[in-house]
Amino acid sequence: MSVPSPASSRPPTADALPRCAVCGTASRQPPFRPGPPEQAPDLDLRPGEPVRSTMARWLQQCPSCGYAAPNITRAHPAAAQAVAAAPFRALLAEASHPPLARRFLAWAHVLEETGALHAAAEATLHAAWVADDMNQPDLARHWRLEAVALWRGGPPLDAEQTVRVIDCLRRAEAWEDAAATAEALAAGDPPEAVAQVVALEQRLVAGRDGGRHTVATALPPPSRRPHVTHQKLAGRGEGLLARLRRWFGKGG
């Protein structure tokens, strides 16, 4: 049996540790490479277990400047200015928000300030998921509505992104907006699988149901083709699982 050399068992030096792309601070940041989710995602594409319970590992955060990202060794050229500004500092100090939610909101703030509005919406929705887990429904509603505003403020949304907007509006109990958005999407001849999810959303909105539901509820396993949570969506567009793999394959 081989014995590790003394050098291999030493802790990494500061030079070997990842350095924040904003302030240059070196810190220990364990990499995160999740496996595929085994359970169906929620209608807003929050992944099922076991990935669902790993949110605390999705982002790294610099212990010095507070910059948060899937990989803090990379940053947009304008990120340093956003991190140094008062709104970012106030966000980090907001004690009424769960610490993990603040990390996602910090990433969302940088993304928004650098013009990546759809990505900022995604990170803001992740903060809402944290609020769900912490049983803070008012914060979850607020952040879902913020995510919707960011999605709508960016480039035109595709059908699957619009489904997520509908689900955020429903979960935030913005019933009229959710109903109108669902009706408009349904009238636009979306792909079959998307149409089935929209139909479920419309039933939930009509019943004033603001709870969590999974994609499997809208798309039960058919007899002649695989379940949507194991294969790409039928019709046009990127599959739900493919999109999840793309996101989490980048570590966040």
Side-chain angles (χ1 to χ4, degrees):
M1 178 183 297
S2 62
V3 178
S5 66
S8 66
S9 61
R10 292 175 190 156
T13 64
D15 288 339
L17 293 173
R19 288 191 175 274
C20 175
V22 170
C23 71
T25 299
S27 61
R28 190 180 300 276
Q29 301 287 343
F32 177 51
R33 294 292 181 269
E38 297 175 2
Q39 297 179 359
D42 293 355
L43 291 175
D44 64 3
L45 290 194
R46 180 174 182 179
E49 297 292 3
V51 179
R52 185 183 190 87
S53 298
T54 63
M55 290 187 68
R57 300 169 59 200
W58 292 2
L59 294 180
Q60 300 174 355
Q61 188 162 30
C62 176
S64 179
C65 69
Y67 173 60
N71 181 349
I72 62 169
T73 67
R74 302 174 185 174
H76 187 281
Q81 182 178 354
V83 167
F88 185 89
R89 312 317 304 173
L91 189 160
L92 293 184
E94 183 51 74
S96 65
H97 297 167
L100 180 55
R102 291 202 301 267
R103 193 185 311 166
F104 284 111
L105 293 173
W107 177 223
H109 179 82
V110 171
L111 289 167
E112 182 179 5
E113 290 298 303
T114 56
L117 297 187
H118 285 184
E122 185 72 35
T124 304
L125 178 58
H126 291 178
W129 295 348
V130 175
D132 289 338
D133 293 345
M134 300 292 291
N135 195 28
Q136 297 193 32
D138 290 342
L139 284 177
R141 291 188 194 100
H142 175 67
W143 290 331
R144 280 187 166 92
L145 292 176
E146 283 197 351
V148 168
L150 288 164
W151 265 313
R152 287 174 166 172
L157 298 170
D158 64 22
E160 288 180 18
Q161 290 171 316
T162 303
V163 168
R164 302 182 78 204
V165 166
I166 295 166
D167 195 69
C168 283
L169 292 168
R170 178 184 65 81
R171 296 288 300 272
E173 300 182 356
W175 306 118
E176 292 185 6
D177 196 351
T181 306
E183 183 178 1
L185 179 56
D189 189 28
E192 176 190 358
V194 172
Q196 288 179 263
V197 176
V198 173
L200 172 61
E201 292 281 12
Q202 288 177 307
R203 293 194 297 271
L204 295 173
V205 169
R208 296 296 190 264
D209 183 341
R212 173 199 169 206
H213 294 272
T214 69
V215 170
T217 307
L219 300 165
S223 59
R224 290 179 293 178
R225 62 183 176 87
H227 193 278
V228 67
T229 57
H230 299 288
Q231 296 291 334
K232 290 185 177 181
L233 280 172
R236 303 184 299 275
E238 181 181 34
L240 295 177
L241 185 55
R243 187 168 294 201
L244 288 172
R245 284 173 175 161
R246 176 167 57 80
W247 289 335
F248 293 109
K250 296 180 179 178

